Amino acid sequence: MDDLFSLNQKVTIVTGGNGGIGKGVAQGFAAAGADIVIVARNPQKTEAAVKEISQAFGVRCTGILCDVSEESAVNEMAAKVNRDYGRIDILVNNAGINIRKMPEDYDASEWDVVMAGNLRSAFLCSKSVYPAMKLGGGGKIINIGSMTSIFGGAKLAPYSASKSGIVQLTRSLACAWAKYNIQVNAILPGFIDTDLTIQARKDIPGLNETVTARTPCGRWGQPHELQGAAIFLASRASEFVTGISLPVDGGFSINML
Ligand code: NAP
């Protein structure tokens, strides 16, 4: 039974794994035995996360600086992981950004930055690991969506468009690559306490209270609370599960009020 959820020596790429949800997931995977490659842009944050995970879990953990919205950088990143580790078993497409404005206030370049950071990046990274996964006999891809994969919001036009795109990208990749034993699933986090939301909590009056009131669990989530769902979707336990989008939201999405 233990083996069902083991990630022992599975070579895992976590984009945006130097903080927030990505680091929480990377720590959970390392505790389950995976070797971790953190892919992000900030050198200090990435180095600190690599050190923290290597020391705490004794697994092989390295960092690669890469803008995941840039195709050539992504392809080089995947080639390097394949060269250094000899295979790629798991990809977590977690890197993401948001720019909050009313729709009429965005310029096209801001729209493009959000779509590229959240959706183009997941497509590019998935495509870049596909040959190694196919050659290795299978793999697992986990895309991080959002409650905005389901709901809209006045100041979330590009973010919600990119995150609902994540759900459909997940389904299409799952259909395409199931025959190669590659399962592709998404996690839709609720409101999680990270750098991305800390500013929103300060900037948006009432956000904290609204989220707490609407979430049946009565609180915000913590980054480590995504670990269980992510380990399930990365392990043998989910061999016959593909194309789903799993909310991990304390019940936010099933509460009408
Ligand atoms: P976060 O703390 O701001 O982390 C985002 C990470 O993405 C950072 O590590 C950042 O690292 C990396 N990143 C951003 N753009 C990148 C790029 N172009 N190339 C490479 N790395 C990039 O935010 P978070 O809350 O943990 O969010 C993680 C994911 O969960 C995002 O996809 C977000 O949309 C999603 N999410 C979050 C919540 C929430 O409540 N927090 C809810 C639903 C969904 P660098 O700065 O070093 O590049």
Side-chain angles (χ1 to χ4, degrees), residues 1-7 140 231-232 234-240:
M1 191 65 182
D2 279 354
D3 276 348
L4 209 51
F5 295 95
S6 169
L7 300 181
K140 299 279 193 177
I231 290 171
F232 166 64
S235 66
R236 202 165 58 76
S238 58
E239 234 164 28
F240 200 53

Side-chain angles (χ1 to χ4, degrees), residues 15-23 38-43 45-46 64-70 93-98 113 116-118 121 143-148 159 162-163 187-198 220-221 223 226:
T15 71
N18 63 8
I21 290 174
K23 191 164 98 178
I38 289 176
V39 174
R41 297 163 304 177
N42 182 307
K45 266 177 76 180
T46 302
I64 298 179
L65 298 180
C66 166
D67 180 340
V68 289
S69 60
E70 294 290 334
N93 283 313
N94 163 79
I97 54 157
N98 192 9
V113 164
N118 295 347
S121 59
N143 296 322
I144 303 297
S146 158
M147 284 298 101
T148 65
Y159 187 77
S162 68
K163 290 297 185 178
I187 292 175
L188 312 184
F191 286 80
I192 312 294
D193 201 5
T194 69
D195 287 352
L196 194 71
T197 49
I198 204 162
W220 289 58
L226 281 302

